[in-house]
Coordinates of all heavy atoms in Angstrom, one line a residue:
K1 N -1.6 -10.8 -11.9 CA -0.7 -11.0 -10.8 C -0.7 -9.8 -9.8 O -0.6 -8.7 -10.3 CB 0.8 -11.2 -11.3 CG 1.7 -11.7 -10.3 CD 3.0 -12.2 -11.0 CE 4.0 -12.6 -10.0 NZ 5.2 -13.1 -10.6
N2 N -0.7 -10.0 -8.6 CA -0.8 -8.9 -7.6 C 0.6 -8.5 -7.2 O 1.4 -9.2 -6.8 CB -1.6 -9.4 -6.4 CG -3.0 -9.7 -6.8 OD1 -3.7 -8.8 -7.3 ND2 -3.5 -10.9 -6.5
R3 N 0.7 -7.2 -7.3 CA 2.0 -6.6 -6.9 C 1.9 -5.5 -5.9 O 2.9 -5.1 -5.3 CB 2.8 -6.1 -8.1 CG 2.0 -6.3 -9.4 CD 2.7 -5.7 -10.6 NE 1.7 -5.1 -11.5 CZ 1.9 -4.7 -12.7 NH1 3.2 -4.7 -13.1 NH2 1.0 -4.1 -13.4
V4 N 0.7 -5.1 -5.6 CA 0.5 -4.0 -4.7 C -0.4 -4.4 -3.6 O -1.5 -5.0 -3.8 CB -0.2 -2.8 -5.5 CG1 -0.5 -1.6 -4.5 CG2 0.7 -2.3 -6.6
M5 N 0.0 -4.1 -2.4 CA -0.8 -4.5 -1.2 C -1.0 -3.2 -0.4 O -0.1 -2.5 -0.1 CB 0.0 -5.5 -0.3 CG -0.7 -5.9 0.9 SD -2.1 -7.0 0.5 CE -3.2 -6.5 1.9
I6 N -2.3 -3.0 -0.2 CA -2.7 -1.8 0.6 C -3.4 -2.2 1.8 O -4.5 -2.8 1.8 CB -3.7 -0.9 -0.3 CG1 -3.1 -0.5 -1.6 CG2 -4.1 0.4 0.5 CD1 -4.0 0.3 -2.5
F7 N -2.8 -1.9 3.0 CA -3.5 -2.1 4.3 C -4.2 -0.8 4.5 O -3.6 0.3 4.6 CB -2.4 -2.4 5.4 CG -1.7 -3.7 5.2 CD1 -0.5 -3.7 4.5 CD2 -2.3 -4.9 5.6 CE1 0.2 -4.9 4.3 CE2 -1.6 -6.1 5.4 CZ -0.4 -6.1 4.7
S8 N -5.5 -0.9 4.7 CA -6.3 0.3 4.7 C -7.4 0.3 5.7 O -7.5 -0.7 6.5 CB -6.9 0.6 3.3 OG -7.6 -0.6 2.9
K9 N -8.2 1.3 5.8 CA -9.4 1.3 6.6 C -10.5 1.8 5.8 O -10.3 2.8 5.0 CB -9.3 2.1 7.9 CG -8.3 1.4 8.9 CD -8.2 2.1 10.2 CE -7.2 1.4 11.1 NZ -7.0 2.0 12.4
S10 N -11.7 1.2 5.9 CA -12.8 1.5 4.9 C -13.3 2.9 5.0 O -13.8 3.4 4.0 CB -13.9 0.5 5.2 OG -14.4 0.6 6.5
Y11 N -13.1 3.6 6.1 CA -13.6 4.9 6.3 C -12.5 6.0 6.1 O -12.8 7.2 6.2 CB -14.2 5.1 7.7 CG -13.2 4.8 8.8 CD1 -12.2 5.8 9.2 CD2 -13.2 3.6 9.5 CE1 -11.3 5.5 10.1 CE2 -12.2 3.3 10.5 CZ -11.3 4.3 10.8 OH -10.4 4.0 11.8
C12 N -11.3 5.5 5.7 CA -10.2 6.5 5.7 C -10.1 7.1 4.3 O -9.9 6.4 3.3 CB -8.9 5.7 6.0 SG -7.4 6.6 5.7
P13 N -10.2 8.4 4.2 CA -10.2 9.1 2.9 C -8.8 9.0 2.2 O -8.7 9.0 1.0 CB -10.5 10.6 3.3 CG -10.2 10.7 4.8 CD -10.4 9.4 5.4
H14 N -7.7 8.9 3.0 CA -6.4 8.7 2.4 C -6.3 7.4 1.7 O -5.7 7.2 0.7 CB -5.3 8.9 3.4 CG -5.4 10.2 4.3 ND1 -5.0 11.4 3.8 CD2 -6.0 10.4 5.5 CE1 -5.3 12.3 4.7 NE2 -5.9 11.7 5.8
S15 N -6.9 6.4 2.4 CA -6.9 5.0 1.8 C -7.7 5.1 0.5 O -7.3 4.5 -0.6 CB -7.6 4.0 2.7 OG -6.9 3.9 3.9
T16 N -8.8 5.8 0.5 CA -9.6 5.9 -0.8 C -8.9 6.6 -1.9 O -8.9 6.1 -3.0 CB -10.9 6.7 -0.5 OG1 -11.6 6.0 0.6 CG2 -11.8 6.7 -1.7
R17 N -8.2 7.6 -1.5 CA -7.4 8.4 -2.5 C -6.3 7.5 -3.2 O -6.1 7.6 -4.4 CB -6.7 9.6 -1.9 CG -7.5 10.9 -1.9 CD -6.7 12.1 -1.4 NE -5.8 12.6 -2.4 CZ -4.5 13.0 -2.1 NH1 -4.1 12.9 -0.9 NH2 -3.8 13.5 -3.0
V18 N -5.6 6.7 -2.4 CA -4.5 6.0 -2.9 C -5.1 4.8 -3.7 O -4.5 4.4 -4.8 CB -3.6 5.5 -1.8 CG1 -4.0 4.2 -1.1 CG2 -2.1 5.5 -2.3
K19 N -6.2 4.2 -3.3 CA -6.8 3.2 -4.2 C -7.2 3.8 -5.5 O -7.1 3.1 -6.6 CB -8.1 2.6 -3.5 CG -7.7 1.7 -2.3 CD -9.0 1.3 -1.6 CE -8.8 1.0 -0.1 NZ -10.1 0.9 0.6
E20 N -7.8 5.0 -5.5 CA -8.2 5.6 -6.8 C -7.0 5.9 -7.7 O -7.1 5.8 -8.9 CB -8.9 6.9 -6.5 CG -10.3 6.7 -5.9 CD -11.0 8.0 -5.4 OE1 -10.4 9.0 -5.3 OE2 -12.2 7.8 -5.0
L21 N -5.8 6.2 -7.1 CA -4.6 6.4 -7.8 C -4.3 5.1 -8.6 O -4.0 5.2 -9.8 CB -3.5 6.9 -7.0 CG -2.1 6.9 -7.7 CD1 -2.1 8.0 -8.8 CD2 -1.0 7.2 -6.7
F22 N -4.2 4.0 -7.9 CA -3.8 2.8 -8.5 C -4.9 2.4 -9.6 O -4.5 1.9 -10.7 CB -3.7 1.6 -7.5 CG -2.4 1.8 -6.7 CD1 -2.3 2.1 -5.4 CD2 -1.1 1.5 -7.4 CE1 -1.1 2.2 -4.7 CE2 0.1 1.6 -6.7 CZ 0.1 2.0 -5.4
T23 N -6.1 2.6 -9.3 CA -7.2 2.3 -10.3 C -7.0 3.1 -11.5 O -7.0 2.6 -12.7 CB -8.6 2.5 -9.7 OG1 -8.7 1.7 -8.6 CG2 -9.7 2.2 -10.7
S24 N -6.7 4.4 -11.3 CA -6.5 5.3 -12.5 C -5.3 4.9 -13.3 O -5.2 5.2 -14.5 CB -6.4 6.8 -12.0 OG -5.1 7.0 -11.5
L25 N -4.3 4.3 -12.7 CA -3.1 3.8 -13.4 C -3.3 2.4 -14.0 O -2.4 1.9 -14.7 CB -1.9 3.7 -12.4 CG -1.5 5.1 -11.8 CD1 -0.4 4.8 -10.7 CD2 -0.9 6.0 -12.9
G26 N -4.5 1.8 -13.7 CA -4.7 0.5 -14.2 C -3.9 -0.6 -13.5 O -3.7 -1.6 -14.1
V27 N -3.6 -0.3 -12.3 CA -2.7 -1.3 -11.5 C -3.6 -2.0 -10.5 O -4.3 -1.3 -9.7 CB -1.6 -0.5 -10.8 CG1 -0.8 -1.5 -9.9 CG2 -0.7 0.1 -11.8
D28 N -3.6 -3.3 -10.6 CA -4.4 -4.1 -9.6 C -3.8 -4.0 -8.2 O -2.6 -3.9 -8.1 CB -4.4 -5.6 -10.0 CG -5.3 -5.8 -11.3 OD1 -6.2 -4.9 -11.6 OD2 -5.1 -6.8 -12.0
Y29 N -4.6 -4.1 -7.2 CA -4.0 -4.1 -5.9 C -4.9 -5.0 -5.0 O -6.1 -5.3 -5.3 CB -4.0 -2.7 -5.3 CG -5.4 -2.0 -5.3 CD1 -6.3 -2.2 -4.3 CD2 -5.7 -1.1 -6.3 CE1 -7.5 -1.6 -4.3 CE2 -6.9 -0.5 -6.4 CZ -7.8 -0.7 -5.4 OH -9.0 -0.1 -5.4
N30 N -4.3 -5.5 -3.9 CA -5.0 -6.2 -2.9 C -5.2 -5.2 -1.7 O -4.3 -4.4 -1.5 CB -4.1 -7.4 -2.3 CG -4.2 -8.6 -3.2 OD1 -5.2 -8.8 -3.9 ND2 -3.2 -9.4 -3.2
T31 N -6.3 -5.4 -1.0 CA -6.5 -4.6 0.2 C -6.8 -5.5 1.4 O -7.4 -6.5 1.2 CB -7.6 -3.6 0.1 OG1 -8.8 -4.2 -0.3 CG2 -7.3 -2.5 -1.0
L32 N -6.4 -5.0 2.5 CA -7.0 -5.6 3.8 C -7.5 -4.4 4.6 O -6.7 -3.5 4.9 CB -5.9 -6.3 4.6 CG -6.4 -7.0 5.8 CD1 -7.3 -8.2 5.5 CD2 -5.2 -7.6 6.6
E33 N -8.8 -4.4 4.8 CA -9.4 -3.3 5.6 C -9.3 -3.6 7.0 O -10.0 -4.5 7.6 CB -10.9 -3.2 5.2 CG -11.2 -3.0 3.7 CD -10.7 -1.7 3.1 OE1 -10.4 -0.8 3.9 OE2 -10.6 -1.5 1.9
L34 N -8.4 -2.9 7.7 CA -8.0 -3.3 9.1 C -9.2 -3.1 10.0 O -9.2 -3.6 11.1 CB -6.8 -2.5 9.5 CG -5.5 -2.9 8.7 CD1 -4.3 -2.1 9.3 CD2 -5.2 -4.3 8.8
D35 N -10.1 -2.2 9.7 CA -11.3 -2.0 10.5 C -12.4 -3.0 10.3 O -13.4 -3.0 11.0 CB -11.9 -0.6 10.3 CG -12.4 -0.4 8.9 OD1 -11.7 -0.8 8.0 OD2 -13.4 0.3 8.7
Q36 N -12.2 -3.9 9.3 CA -13.2 -4.9 9.0 C -12.9 -6.3 9.3 O -13.7 -7.2 9.1 CB -13.5 -4.8 7.5 CG -13.8 -3.5 6.9 CD -15.3 -3.1 7.0 OE1 -16.1 -3.8 6.4 NE2 -15.6 -2.1 7.8
V37 N -11.6 -6.5 9.8 CA -11.2 -7.9 10.2 C -11.0 -8.0 11.7 O -10.7 -7.0 12.4 CB -9.9 -8.3 9.4 CG1 -10.2 -8.4 7.9 CG2 -8.8 -7.3 9.7
D38 N -11.2 -9.2 12.2 CA -11.2 -9.4 13.7 C -9.8 -9.0 14.3 O -9.8 -8.4 15.3 CB -11.4 -10.8 14.0 CG -12.9 -11.2 13.8 OD1 -13.7 -10.3 13.8 OD2 -13.2 -12.4 13.7
D39 N -8.7 -9.3 13.6 CA -7.4 -9.1 14.2 C -6.7 -7.9 13.5 O -5.5 -7.8 13.6 CB -6.5 -10.4 14.0 CG -6.5 -10.8 12.5 OD1 -7.2 -10.2 11.7 OD2 -5.8 -11.8 12.2
G40 N -7.5 -7.0 13.0 CA -7.0 -5.8 12.4 C -6.0 -5.0 13.3 O -5.0 -4.4 12.8
A41 N -6.4 -4.8 14.5 CA -5.5 -4.0 15.4 C -4.1 -4.7 15.6 O -3.1 -4.0 15.6 CB -6.2 -3.9 16.8
R42 N -4.1 -6.0 15.6 CA -2.9 -6.8 15.8 C -2.1 -6.6 14.5 O -0.8 -6.4 14.5 CB -3.2 -8.2 16.1 CG -1.9 -9.1 16.2 CD -1.0 -8.7 17.3 NE 0.3 -9.4 17.2 CZ 1.4 -8.8 17.5 NH1 1.5 -7.5 17.8 NH2 2.6 -9.5 17.4
V43 N -2.7 -6.7 13.3 CA -2.1 -6.5 12.1 C -1.4 -5.2 12.0 O -0.3 -5.0 11.6 CB -3.0 -6.7 10.9 CG1 -2.4 -6.4 9.5 CG2 -3.6 -8.2 10.8
Q44 N -2.1 -4.2 12.5 CA -1.6 -2.8 12.5 C -0.4 -2.7 13.4 O 0.6 -2.0 13.0 CB -2.7 -1.8 12.9 CG -2.3 -0.4 12.5 CD -3.5 0.6 12.6 OE1 -4.6 0.2 13.0 NE2 -3.2 1.9 12.4
E45 N -0.4 -3.4 14.5 CA 0.8 -3.4 15.4 C 2.0 -4.0 14.6 O 3.1 -3.4 14.7 CB 0.5 -4.2 16.6 CG -0.3 -3.6 17.7 CD -0.6 -4.5 18.9 OE1 0.2 -5.5 19.0 OE2 -1.6 -4.3 19.6
V46 N 1.8 -5.1 14.0 CA 2.9 -5.7 13.2 C 3.4 -4.8 12.1 O 4.6 -4.7 11.9 CB 2.4 -7.1 12.7 CG1 3.5 -7.7 11.8 CG2 2.1 -8.1 13.8
L47 N 2.4 -4.2 11.4 CA 2.8 -3.2 10.4 C 3.7 -2.1 10.9 O 4.7 -1.7 10.3 CB 1.6 -2.6 9.7 CG 0.9 -3.5 8.7 CD1 -0.4 -2.9 8.3 CD2 1.8 -3.8 7.5
T48 N 3.3 -1.6 12.1 CA 4.1 -0.6 12.7 C 5.5 -1.1 13.0 O 6.5 -0.4 12.8 CB 3.4 -0.1 14.0 OG1 2.1 0.3 13.7 CG2 4.2 1.1 14.6
E49 N 5.6 -2.3 13.5 CA 6.9 -2.9 13.8 C 7.8 -3.1 12.5 O 9.0 -2.7 12.5 CB 6.8 -4.3 14.4 CG 6.3 -4.2 15.9 CD 5.9 -5.6 16.4 OE1 6.4 -6.6 15.8 OE2 5.2 -5.6 17.4
I50 N 7.2 -3.6 11.4 CA 8.0 -3.9 10.3 C 8.2 -2.7 9.3 O 9.2 -2.7 8.6 CB 7.5 -5.1 9.5 CG1 6.1 -4.8 8.8 CG2 7.3 -6.3 10.3 CD1 5.6 -5.8 7.9
S51 N 7.3 -1.7 9.4 CA 7.5 -0.6 8.5 C 7.7 0.7 9.2 O 7.9 1.8 8.5 CB 6.2 -0.5 7.6 OG 5.1 -0.1 8.4
N52 N 7.6 0.7 10.5 CA 7.8 2.0 11.2 C 6.8 3.0 10.9 O 7.1 4.2 10.9 CB 9.2 2.5 11.0 CG 9.7 3.4 12.2 OD1 9.2 3.1 13.3 ND2 10.5 4.3 11.9
Q53 N 5.6 2.6 10.5 CA 4.5 3.5 10.1 C 3.2 3.1 10.8 O 2.8 1.9 10.7 CB 4.3 3.4 8.6 CG 3.2 4.3 8.1 CD 2.8 4.2 6.6 OE1 3.7 4.0 5.8 NE2 1.5 4.2 6.3
K54 N 2.7 4.0 11.5 CA 1.5 3.7 12.3 C 0.2 3.9 11.6 O -0.8 3.3 12.0 CB 1.4 4.6 13.6 CG 2.5 4.3 14.6 CD 2.3 5.2 15.8 CE 3.4 4.9 16.9 NZ 3.5 5.9 17.9
T55 N 0.2 4.7 10.5 CA -1.1 5.0 9.9 C -1.4 4.2 8.7 O -0.6 3.5 8.2 CB -1.0 6.5 9.4 OG1 0.1 6.7 8.6 CG2 -0.9 7.5 10.6
V56 N -2.7 4.2 8.4 CA -3.1 3.6 7.1 C -3.5 4.8 6.1 O -3.8 5.9 6.6 CB -4.4 2.7 7.3 CG1 -4.0 1.5 8.0 CG2 -5.5 3.5 8.0
P57 N -3.4 4.6 4.9 CA -3.0 3.4 4.2 C -1.5 3.1 4.4 O -0.7 4.0 4.5 CB -3.3 3.7 2.7 CG -3.2 5.1 2.6 CD -3.7 5.7 3.9
N58 N -1.2 1.8 4.4 CA 0.2 1.4 4.4 C 0.4 0.5 3.2 O -0.2 -0.6 3.1 CB 0.5 0.7 5.8 CG 2.0 0.5 6.0 OD1 2.8 0.4 5.1 ND2 2.4 0.4 7.3
I59 N 1.3 1.0 2.3 CA 1.3 0.4 1.0 C 2.7 -0.3 0.7 O 3.7 0.3 1.0 CB 1.1 1.5 -0.1 CG1 -0.3 2.0 0.1 CG2 1.3 0.9 -1.5 CD1 -0.4 3.5 0.3
F60 N 2.6 -1.5 0.2 CA 3.8 -2.2 -0.3 C 3.7 -2.5 -1.8 O 2.6 -2.9 -2.3 CB 3.9 -3.6 0.5 CG 4.2 -3.4 1.9 CD1 3.2 -3.1 2.8 CD2 5.5 -3.6 2.4 CE1 3.4 -3.0 4.2 CE2 5.7 -3.4 3.8 CZ 4.7 -3.1 4.7
V61 N 4.8 -2.2 -2.5 CA 4.8 -2.4 -3.9 C 5.9 -3.4 -4.2 O 7.1 -3.1 -3.9 CB 5.0 -1.1 -4.7 CG1 5.1 -1.4 -6.2 CG2 3.9 -0.2 -4.5
N62 N 5.6 -4.6 -4.7 CA 6.6 -5.6 -4.9 C 7.5 -5.8 -3.6 O 8.7 -5.9 -3.7 CB 7.4 -5.4 -6.1 CG 6.6 -5.6 -7.4 OD1 5.7 -6.4 -7.4 ND2 6.9 -4.8 -8.4
K63 N 6.8 -5.9 -2.5 CA 7.4 -6.2 -1.2 C 8.3 -5.0 -0.7 O 8.9 -5.1 0.4 CB 8.2 -7.5 -1.2 CG 7.3 -8.7 -1.5 CD 8.1 -10.0 -1.4 CE 7.1 -11.2 -1.7 NZ 7.8 -12.4 -1.6
V64 N 8.3 -3.9 -1.4 CA 9.0 -2.8 -0.9 C 8.0 -1.9 -0.2 O 6.9 -1.6 -0.7 CB 9.7 -2.0 -2.1 CG1 10.3 -0.7 -1.6 CG2 10.7 -2.8 -2.8
H65 N 8.4 -1.4 1.0 CA 7.5 -0.5 1.7 C 7.5 0.8 1.0 O 8.5 1.5 0.9 CB 7.9 -0.4 3.2 CG 7.0 0.5 4.0 ND1 7.5 1.7 4.6 CD2 5.7 0.4 4.2 CE1 6.4 2.2 5.2 NE2 5.3 1.5 5.0
M66 N 6.3 1.3 0.6 CA 6.1 2.5 -0.1 C 5.8 3.7 0.9 O 6.4 4.8 0.7 CB 5.0 2.4 -1.1 CG 4.5 3.6 -1.8 SD 5.8 4.4 -2.7 CE 6.3 3.1 -3.8
G67 N 5.0 3.4 1.9 CA 4.6 4.4 2.8 C 3.1 4.6 2.8 O 2.4 3.6 2.5
G68 N 2.7 5.8 3.1 CA 1.3 6.1 3.1 C 0.8 6.7 1.8 O 1.5 6.6 0.7
C69 N -0.3 7.4 1.9 CA -0.9 8.1 0.7 C 0.0 9.1 0.1 O 0.3 9.1 -1.1 CB -2.3 8.7 1.1 SG -3.1 9.5 -0.2
D70 N 0.5 10.0 1.0 CA 1.3 11.1 0.5 C 2.6 10.6 -0.2 O 2.9 11.1 -1.3 CB 1.7 12.1 1.7 CG 0.5 12.8 2.3 OD1 -0.5 12.9 1.6 OD2 0.7 13.3 3.4
Q71 N 3.2 9.6 0.4 CA 4.4 9.1 -0.1 C 4.2 8.4 -1.5 O 5.1 8.4 -2.4 CB 5.1 8.2 0.9 CG 5.8 8.9 2.0 CD 6.0 8.1 3.2 OE1 5.1 7.6 3.8 NE2 7.3 7.9 3.6
T72 N 3.0 7.8 -1.6 CA 2.7 7.1 -2.8 C 2.5 8.1 -4.0 O 3.0 7.9 -5.1 CB 1.5 6.2 -2.7 OG1 1.8 5.2 -1.6 CG2 1.2 5.4 -3.9
F73 N 1.8 9.2 -3.7 CA 1.6 10.2 -4.7 C 2.9 10.8 -5.1 O 3.2 11.1 -6.2 CB 0.6 11.2 -4.2 CG -0.8 10.9 -4.5 CD1 -1.6 10.0 -3.7 CD2 -1.4 11.4 -5.7 CE1 -2.9 9.7 -4.0 CE2 -2.7 11.1 -6.0 CZ -3.5 10.2 -5.2
Q74 N 3.8 11.0 -4.1 CA 5.1 11.6 -4.4 C 5.9 10.6 -5.3 O 6.6 11.1 -6.2 CB 5.8 11.8 -3.0 CG 7.1 12.7 -3.2 CD 7.8 12.8 -1.9 OE1 7.4 12.2 -0.9 NE2 8.9 13.5 -1.9
A75 N 5.8 9.3 -4.9 CA 6.6 8.3 -5.7 C 6.0 8.3 -7.2 O 6.7 8.0 -8.1 CB 6.5 7.0 -5.1
H76 N 4.7 8.5 -7.3 CA 4.1 8.6 -8.6 C 4.7 9.7 -9.4 O 5.0 9.6 -10.6 CB 2.6 8.7 -8.5 CG 1.9 8.9 -9.8 ND1 2.1 8.1 -10.9 CD2 0.9 9.8 -10.2 CE1 1.4 8.5 -11.9 NE2 0.7 9.5 -11.5
K77 N 4.8 10.9 -8.7 CA 5.3 12.1 -9.4 C 6.7 12.0 -9.8 O 7.1 12.4 -10.9 CB 5.2 13.3 -8.4 CG 4.0 14.2 -8.6 CD 4.1 15.4 -7.8 CE 2.7 16.2 -7.7 NZ 2.7 17.1 -6.5
N78 N 7.6 11.4 -8.9 CA 9.0 11.3 -9.2 C 9.5 10.1 -10.0 O 10.6 9.9 -10.2 CB 9.8 11.6 -8.0 CG 9.8 10.4 -7.0 OD1 9.5 9.3 -7.3 ND2 10.0 10.7 -5.7
G79 N 8.5 9.2 -10.3 CA 8.9 8.0 -11.1 C 9.2 6.8 -10.3 O 9.3 5.7 -10.9
L80 N 9.4 6.9 -9.0 CA 9.8 5.7 -8.2 C 8.7 4.6 -8.3 O 9.0 3.4 -8.4 CB 10.1 6.1 -6.8 CG 10.4 5.0 -5.9 CD1 11.7 4.2 -6.3 CD2 10.5 5.4 -4.4
L81 N 7.5 5.1 -8.2 CA 6.4 4.1 -8.2 C 6.4 3.3 -9.5 O 6.3 2.0 -9.4 CB 5.0 4.8 -8.0 CG 3.8 3.9 -8.1 CD1 3.8 2.9 -6.9 CD2 2.5 4.7 -8.0
Q82 N 6.5 3.9 -10.6 CA 6.5 3.2 -11.9 C 7.7 2.2 -11.9 O 7.6 1.1 -12.4 CB 6.6 4.2 -13.1 CG 6.2 3.6 -14.4 CD 4.8 3.0 -14.4 OE1 3.9 3.5 -13.7 NE2 4.7 1.9 -15.0
K83 N 8.8 2.7 -11.4 CA 10.0 1.8 -11.4 C 9.8 0.6 -10.6 O 10.1 -0.5 -11.0 CB 11.2 2.6 -10.8 CG 12.5 2.2 -11.3 CD 13.6 3.1 -10.8 CE 15.0 2.4 -10.9 NZ 15.9 2.8 -9.9
L84 N 9.2 0.7 -9.4 CA 8.9 -0.4 -8.6 C 7.9 -1.3 -9.2 O 8.0 -2.6 -9.1 CB 8.4 0.0 -7.2 CG 9.5 0.7 -6.3 CD1 8.8 1.2 -5.0 CD2 10.6 -0.3 -5.9
L85 N 6.9 -0.8 -9.9 CA 5.9 -1.6 -10.5 C 6.5 -2.4 -11.7 O 6.2 -3.5 -11.9 CB 4.8 -0.7 -11.1 CG 3.8 -0.1 -10.0 CD1 2.9 0.9 -10.6 CD2 3.0 -1.2 -9.4
E86 N 7.4 -1.8 -12.4 CA 8.1 -2.4 -13.5 C 9.0 -3.6 -13.1 O 9.2 -4.5 -13.8 CB 8.9 -1.4 -14.4 CG 8.0 -0.6 -15.3 CD 8.6 0.6 -15.8 OE1 9.9 0.8 -15.6 OE2 7.9 1.4 -16.4
E87 N 9.5 -3.5 -11.9 CA 10.4 -4.6 -11.4 C 9.7 -5.9 -11.3 O 10.3 -6.9 -11.3 CB 10.9 -4.2 -10.0 CG 12.1 -3.2 -10.1 CD 12.7 -2.9 -8.8 OE1 12.4 -3.6 -7.8 OE2 13.5 -2.0 -8.8
D88 N 8.3 -5.8 -11.2 CA 7.6 -7.1 -11.1 C 7.8 -8.0 -12.2 O 7.9 -9.3 -11.9 CB 6.1 -6.7 -11.0 CG 5.2 -8.0 -10.8 OD1 5.5 -8.7 -9.8 OD2 4.4 -8.3 -11.6
S89 N 8.0 -7.5 -13.4 CA 8.1 -8.5 -14.5 C 9.5 -9.2 -14.5 O 9.7 -10.2 -15.1 CB 8.0 -7.7 -15.8 OG 8.8 -6.6 -15.8
A90 N 10.4 -8.6 -13.8 CA 11.8 -9.2 -13.7 C 12.0 -10.2 -12.6 O 13.0 -10.9 -12.5 CB 12.8 -8.1 -13.7
H91 N 11.0 -10.2 -11.7 CA 11.2 -11.1 -10.5 C 10.0 -11.9 -10.3 O 8.9 -11.6 -10.8 CB 11.5 -10.2 -9.3 CG 12.7 -9.4 -9.4 ND1 14.0 -9.9 -9.3 CD2 12.8 -8.1 -9.6 CE1 14.8 -8.9 -9.5 NE2 14.2 -7.8 -9.7
D92 N 10.2 -12.9 -9.5 CA 9.1 -13.9 -9.3 C 8.4 -13.6 -7.9 O 8.2 -14.5 -7.1 CB 9.6 -15.3 -9.3 CG 8.4 -16.3 -9.4 OD1 7.4 -15.9 -10.0 OD2 8.6 -17.4 -9.0
Y93 N 8.0 -12.4 -7.7 CA 7.4 -12.0 -6.5 C 5.9 -12.3 -6.5 O 5.3 -12.2 -7.5 CB 7.5 -10.5 -6.2 CG 8.8 -10.0 -6.0 CD1 9.3 -8.8 -6.6 CD2 9.7 -10.6 -5.1 CE1 10.5 -8.3 -6.3 CE2 10.9 -10.1 -4.8 CZ 11.4 -8.9 -5.5 OH 12.6 -8.4 -5.2
D94 N 5.4 -12.7 -5.4 CA 3.9 -12.7 -5.3 C 3.6 -12.4 -3.8 O 3.7 -13.2 -2.9 CB 3.3 -14.0 -5.7 CG 3.7 -15.2 -5.0 OD1 4.9 -15.1 -4.5 OD2 3.0 -16.1 -4.8
L95 N 3.2 -11.1 -3.6 CA 2.8 -10.7 -2.3 C 1.3 -10.8 -2.2 O 0.6 -10.3 -3.0 CB 3.3 -9.2 -2.1 CG 2.9 -8.6 -0.7 CD1 3.6 -9.4 0.4 CD2 3.3 -7.1 -0.7
Ligands
GSH101 N1 -0.4 11.5 5.8 C1 -1.0 10.2 5.9 C2 -0.9 9.5 4.5 O1 -0.6 10.2 3.6 O2 -1.2 8.3 4.4 C3 -2.4 10.3 6.5 C4 -2.9 9.0 6.9 C5 -3.9 9.1 8.1 O3 -4.0 10.1 8.7 N2 -4.6 7.9 8.3 C6 -5.5 7.8 9.5 C7 -4.9 6.9 10.5 O4 -4.2 6.0 10.1 C8 -6.8 7.2 9.1 S1 -7.7 8.2 7.9 N3 -5.2 7.1 11.8 C9 -4.7 6.3 12.8 C10 -5.3 4.9 12.9 O5 -6.3 4.7 12.2 O6 -4.8 4.1 13.6

């Protein structure tokens, strides 16, 4: 079941770093590479509107906006990320 959504760009090193973090944790994720899809610029506009974040990676964990690479690593350090991941088993989310 997918619980992590990463809006990324294929050439972005921060996107790569955060994907590697989830892989190292054994957590599956979905990605949309905004530089590889026709309407990527529009998707990025909408992401900016709903999350108030202009940059990629833009990460959602169980529908909660996590932020970018730095914020995800911080959430990993302080335990918030694990908490949000664990919430998946208690709810019927599918992002
Ligand atoms: N501090 C940010 C993070 O931790 O996620 C850095 C993210 C960043 O600089 N991303 C670049 C970006 O989004 C691409 S590598 N640039 C603007 C754009 O592509 O529209």
Side-chain angles (χ1 to χ4, degrees):
K1 189 166 178 183
N2 295 302
R3 357 176 221 191
V4 176
M5 181 68 212
I6 304 175
F7 296 92
S8 54
K9 290 187 181 177
S10 59
Y11 58 79
C12 170
H14 309 279
S15 298
T16 302
R17 268 186 80 221
V18 87
K19 288 175 206 167
E20 286 170 355
L21 174 64
F22 283 111
T23 299
S24 75
L25 297 173
V27 174
D28 290 338
Y29 55 83
N30 281 334
T31 58
L32 185 65
E33 304 292 345
L34 297 181
D35 62 320
Q36 307 273 301
V37 293
D38 287 341
D39 53 355
R42 178 65 190 137
V43 173
Q44 195 168 358
E45 280 177 23
V46 173
L47 281 171
T48 304
E49 285 169 23
I50 66 173
S51 68
N52 205 30
Q53 180 187 320
K54 287 183 183 171
T55 55
V56 291
N58 193 332
I59 297 124
F60 293 79
V61 177
N62 288 327
K63 297 186 180 178
V64 175
H65 182 238
M66 171 59 56
C69 178
D70 294 343
Q71 282 158 303
T72 303
F73 271 83
Q74 192 183 3
H76 173 50
K77 260 190 197 161
N78 69 24
L80 176 64
L81 178 60
Q82 198 56 39
K83 208 176 159 208
L84 289 174
L85 287 169
E86 281 163 8
E87 280 183 11
D88 183 55
S89 52
H91 300 286
D92 195 27
Y93 291 136
D94 59 332
L95 180 63

